Amino acid sequence: MTQDTSLRFREFKMPDVGEGLTEAEILKWYVQPGDTVTDGQVVCEVETAKAAVELPIPYDGVVHELRFEEGTTVDVGTSIITIDVAPGSGDAPAAPAAEVPAAQAPVAEPPAAEEAEPKGRTPVLVGYGVAETSTKRRARKGTSPVPEQAAAAAAIQSEMNGHGVAPGAARPLAKPPVRKLAKDLGIDLATVTPTGPDGVITREDVHAAAAPAPAPAPVLAEPAVAAQPAPEPVAAGARETRIPIKGVRKATAAAMVGSAFTAPHVTEFITLDVTRTVKLVDELKADKNMAGLRVNPLLLIAKALLVAIKRNPGVNAAWDEAAQEIVQKHYVNLGIAAATPRGLIVPNIKDAHDKTLPELAQALGELVSTAREGKTTPAAMQGGTVTITNVGVFGVDTGTPILNSGESAILAVGAIKLQPWVHKGKVKPRQVTTLALSFDHRLVDGELGSKVLADVAAILEQPKRLITWA
């Protein structure tokens, strides 16, 4: 009796891991066909327009098919992996035509001898076939390569042989773009140590073989922003390099363009003496109530902004164009702009207005650590109301920041430098910085914006106002 294959095979579709996301790029597969998986096991990492997210499988069973290669952008709702929840109970069905990319459309299966699968699984790089072995494998229904794919596979095999791998020897596994990179850099893939899943050679492996490891990045004075990755080596003779616009970079660009041409920006500046704030930071570092917490000027700047918003609540609002309403927010989700290897992200501290200074320090530390590790979730970047961007970590005095989409204001913090300053009628060396506040002029007029910026500056000049104004 033939088992109903619709009950045996489960299709796991690309979920919407954020709110309203339409697509995601498959960054890495952690499983391959033939692997056993359990409910809740992470099978792949995907990058949305907001963050990188690991996806767990909701089934127990054996991986039957990976529908897309790493690096492919897939629409939400499209099947990306098939799981056999009852292995060994019959032949696998052909993949549904609607779920398979055009380049992988099913063709007639050629007659072949039915032979058992070998006990050891040869590592497979999805979409590139299996390295030659002495044991024949049964062709999978619905996945026989079309002539173009067969030709591509032959070309890849030829290229592999061209890298000095003798026939019958174990051939290095790598994607075509990685092979091209190795060829451009003059690297023999057979000499590269792979670090990818199942022994796959990655771009990073090729770069590591081509150049010595980079020196450790310097520790920034203000750790609220992660260091940018070093640029990739440029092939000799190359006059330009093209980098695909996708993921976080693509989403950031769209948001910035939308914000710049939707919200009329106004930016105001103020230069101030923050010597007392710097001294308070040193005192707080020695306070037992702040032990183990991240204490730096950014913490007090964030607290100063929250107090300024409390004194001027009209700045914390949003413009609803569809409803033709101004939405006044009675909470503050404080965004902190962070530069990560994937691009600029702005996670926010939920209900920052309700947090004590130690609680704010803990939340800020967790936000920074998570961003640096690339573990920021889409939920952490949604619902922000006001943002701080700390350009001072790069030695920049200030800038004219663009509003985070849907928010009313953004505060740019410049570098804190020892400068000559008139203090109590005399010129003395003092710790000085410049702040810049950009705001949506539909929501915030010049008077309100000026009051907010002046209040932040007044608190940082006289930190005791954190007590008297709070």
Side-chain angles (χ1 to χ4, degrees):
M1 181 176 179
T2 303
Q3 180 179 352
D4 185 352
T5 56
S6 65
L7 299 177
R8 176 182 167 189
F9 292 89
R10 296 289 187 270
E11 301 291 336
F12 179 58
K13 299 180 179 180
M14 178 70 74
D16 178 1
V17 293
E19 293 182 2
L21 297 177
T22 60
E23 63 182 19
E25 177 188 352
I26 298 175
L27 292 179
K28 182 185 297 184
W29 282 110
Y30 296 123
V31 296
Q32 294 292 335
D35 287 350
T36 299
V37 294
T38 57
D39 186 358
Q41 177 180 338
V42 173
V43 294
C44 69
E45 181 182 23
V46 301
E47 182 179 40
T48 70
K50 296 179 180 290
V53 180
E54 293 182 332
L55 298 184
I57 197 77
Y59 313 117
D60 293 333
V62 174
V63 177
H64 171 59
E65 182 178 18
L66 306 182
R67 295 293 184 83
F68 296 94
E69 304 167 12
E70 293 176 352
T72 304
T73 299
V74 182
D75 290 338
V76 168
T78 302
S79 174
I80 60 174
I81 182 173
T82 305
I83 302 297
D84 184 350
V85 297
S89 58
D91 289 337
E99 297 285 335
V100 183
Q104 300 177 6
V107 295
E109 180 183 7
E114 299 284 331
E115 298 193 17
E117 292 280 326
K119 293 183 179 179
R121 182 176 63 81
T122 303
V124 178
L125 188 61
V126 183
Y128 301 102
V130 184
E132 292 181 358
T133 65
S134 60
T135 305
K136 293 183 179 180
R137 300 172 68 95
R138 184 169 66 186
R140 181 183 298 158
K141 294 182 180 179
T143 57
S144 299
V146 294
E148 291 81 3
Q149 291 175 305
I156 294 170
Q157 191 66 44
S158 175
E159 182 182 356
M160 292 169 70
N161 289 336
H163 278 288
V165 181
R171 294 176 172 82
L173 294 174
K175 293 184 180 181
V178 176
R179 294 185 182 283
K180 183 179 185 303
L181 175 64
K183 184 177 181 181
D184 291 341
L185 297 179
I187 301 299
D188 184 352
L189 286 178
T191 66
V192 177
T193 301
T195 62
D198 292 325
V200 175
I201 296 174
T202 66
R203 294 177 64 87
E204 290 74 16
D205 298 335
V206 175
H207 288 317
V219 178
L220 301 175
E222 291 288 348
V225 182
Q228 290 282 6
E232 294 185 357
V234 178
R239 292 175 62 85
E240 61 182 30
T241 300
R242 291 181 174 267
I243 302 172
I245 302 172
K246 57 184 180 179
V248 173
R249 178 69 62 183
K250 181 178 180 180
T252 300
M256 291 298 98
V257 170
S259 176
F261 289 96
T262 300
H265 284 55
V266 172
T267 305
E268 295 186 343
F269 306 86
I270 190 168
T271 301
L272 61 148
D273 177 1
V274 293
T275 303
R276 289 186 176 91
T277 289
V278 173
K279 289 180 179 178
L280 179 56
V281 167
D282 292 337
E283 292 173 6
L284 289 173
K285 287 180 179 179
D287 191 318
K288 63 180 182 179
N289 294 317
M290 303 295 286
L293 299 175
R294 186 184 300 272
V295 180
N296 51 39
L298 182 63
L299 170 62
L300 296 185
I301 293 169
K303 190 65 176 179
L305 179 58
L306 292 170
V307 172
I309 292 172
K310 181 179 179 181
R311 287 167 54 85
N312 305 276
V315 75
N316 189 41
W319 184 275
D320 188 335
E321 181 66 28
Q324 285 294 290
E325 294 175 339
I326 293 175
V327 183
Q328 185 68 54
K329 306 293 179 65
H330 304 302
Y331 60 91
V332 182
N333 289 346
L334 182 62
I336 303 295
T340 73
R342 289 190 175 93
L344 178 70
I345 63 173
V346 188
N348 60 76
I349 299 172
K350 308 300 186 198
D351 293 326
H353 64 291
D354 277 341
K355 297 188 182 298
T356 64
L357 192 64
E359 290 171 344
L360 187 62
Q362 181 176 356
L364 185 59
E366 292 173 352
L367 179 149
V368 172
S369 299
T370 302
R372 283 183 166 178
E373 294 169 1
K375 301 297 184 181
T376 303
T377 64
M381 292 181 282
Q382 295 163 359
T385 61
V386 176
T387 289
I388 295 176
T389 178
N390 188 3
V391 298
V393 296
F394 303 112
V396 175
D397 290 336
T398 192
T400 54
I402 297 177
L403 293 168
N404 200 28
S405 183
E407 298 183 9
S408 58
I410 179 170
L411 179 69
V413 180
I416 298 175
K417 300 178 180 179
L418 194 64
Q419 297 182 19
W421 190 264
V422 178
H423 177 67
K424 296 181 179 180
K426 296 182 180 180
V427 177
K428 297 181 178 181
R430 304 287 287 181
Q431 299 288 352
V432 176
T433 191
T434 300
L435 305 177
L437 182 71
S438 291
F439 48 86
D440 184 341
H441 216 349
R442 297 173 301 177
L443 295 161
V444 183
D445 58 25
E447 179 184 10
L448 177 56
S450 298
K451 285 182 176 179
V452 171
L453 186 58
D455 279 357
V456 173
I459 293 170
L460 296 177
E461 287 179 332
Q462 296 284 350
K464 66 183 180 181
R465 291 190 172 111
L466 286 172
I467 300 174
T468 59
W469 287 5

